[in-house]
Amino acid sequence: MASVVSNKQVMTGTFLMWLECAGISLEARPGQFVMVHCGEETVLRRPLSIHQADGGKFALLYAIIGKGTQWLSQCSPGVEVDILGPLGNGFMVYPDSRNLLLIAGGIGIAPLMSLADRAISDGRNVILLYGTANKDRYHLPSGVTEVAATEDGSIGYKGMITELVPEHVEWADQIFACGPLPMYRAMAKMSELKNKPVQVSLEMRMGCGMGTCYACTIRTRQGLKQVCKDGPVFDMNDVIWEEIKT
Ligand code: FES
């Protein structure tokens, strides 16, 4: 059980919740997720990325997309939430990687923040390409060099965040991304990324979150994989994107 410390709306329809639970926060690696029991109205737990961890607390950044997350948004400080985790594999940063390029599309910023935090505290260089539809976007904590793009041009580059990727590829030792499927499909077609180590975090409907129900199975070049157990982080070039449906 994790106790809600705070739960605030940080942009339209998106909340940042901090919870107290040392068992999760001290164990969590960037890119891992938790399964959250969202009240009695929902049968299945909801998978949510661990956004940040700080001592005995960890944060979830979540958009309201249904009954479960609506319930979560109503939880006040002090409420106990039933949470399973940390789950999944998380991002893998190679020991000799100095320059990390992070690419976030919309709420895909959620799992990348803890990766940025960890990389910066390890003395690595981080550039975060962060794309949203408009200026209603998450205000990033300081310390991250952000390159912004909005589809309507209200902040930063006008267009899709993927259009900024090619100019940063050479600088990067490794690339990490989280965003919607069209973003991944665009990246998978980029010749600049063919020989780069690119890790992507997949968002998928889940049942158990622990590798037993097979609801999250995908086909990869390494065979069938379960997103909850073998992922959610995969090598971009291993995923057969034409067969992914979320
Ligand atoms: Fe059950 Fe992945 S959600 S196997």
Side-chain angles (χ1 to χ4, degrees):
M1 300 301 287
S3 176
V4 176
V5 176
S6 62
N7 191 19
K8 292 188 182 132
Q9 182 160 258
V10 290
M11 56 185 168
T12 308
T14 300
F15 283 69
L16 176 67
M17 174 185 269
W18 277 93
L19 300 119
E20 185 90 43
C21 181
I24 292 176
S25 63
L26 298 178
E27 288 289 313
R29 298 191 308 276
Q32 288 191 296
F33 68 100
V34 291
M35 294 293 281
V36 184
H37 182 247
C38 296
E40 299 310 319
E41 286 179 36
T42 56
V43 179
L44 298 175
R45 290 171 181 264
R46 298 289 185 266
L48 292 174
S49 301
I50 296 171
H51 176 58
Q52 283 186 287
D54 183 7
K57 295 186 293 182
F58 70 97
L60 303 173
L61 180 72
Y62 62 95
I64 298 180
I65 51 170
K67 269 194 223 167
T69 40
Q70 178 69 44
W71 177 88
L72 206 58
S73 72
Q74 304 299 316
C75 291
S76 306
V79 168
E80 299 271 304
V81 184
D82 178 357
I83 297 184
L84 205 60
L87 300 167
N89 59 355
F91 296 110
M92 184 188 290
V93 179
Y94 306 141
D96 56 352
S97 292
R98 304 310 315 154
N99 298 335
L100 309 189
L101 180 65
L102 278 47
I103 306 165
I107 194 68
I109 190 69
L112 294 174
M113 219 50 249
S114 61
L115 176 62
D117 288 344
R118 180 76 62 93
I120 289 167
S121 72
D122 288 347
R124 302 179 206 266
N125 306 309
V126 175
I127 292 178
L128 170 68
L129 307 183
Y130 178 29
T132 53
N134 51 49
K135 63 183 177 190
D136 183 20
R137 51 198 269 131
Y138 183 47
H139 186 65
L140 299 176
S142 58
V144 183
T145 303
E146 178 190 353
V147 179
T150 48
E151 288 171 38
D152 67 0
S154 51
I155 293 181
Y157 176 78
K158 181 176 182 180
M160 308 307 284
I161 196 65
T162 45
E163 292 161 25
L164 300 178
V165 170
E167 65 194 84
H168 293 90
V169 168
E170 203 176 312
W171 171 85
D173 296 316
Q174 278 186 272
I175 298 172
F176 304 86
C178 187
L181 196 50
M183 181 179 115
Y184 291 147
R185 290 210 164 112
M187 288 173 61
K189 286 187 187 140
M190 288 180 187
S191 56
E192 296 90 341
L193 296 180
K194 285 286 180 250
N195 297 313
K196 274 281 176 184
V198 183
Q199 294 173 29
V200 297
S201 176
L202 288 186
E203 190 175 303
M204 190 70 50
R205 283 184 192 279
M206 289 186 187
C208 65
M210 302 175 72
T212 56
C213 74
Y214 293 89
C216 64
T217 304
I218 60 164
R219 190 179 300 279
T220 74
R221 295 186 208 290
Q222 312 297 325
L224 295 178
K225 299 283 178 188
Q226 290 156 280
V227 172
C228 66
K229 184 165 70 72
D230 302 311
V233 177
F234 291 89
D235 182 323
M236 183 185 79
N237 291 313
D238 274 350
V239 177
I240 302 173
W241 293 103
E242 307 77 55
E243 297 195 14
I244 299 276
K245 295 176 189 68
T246 58

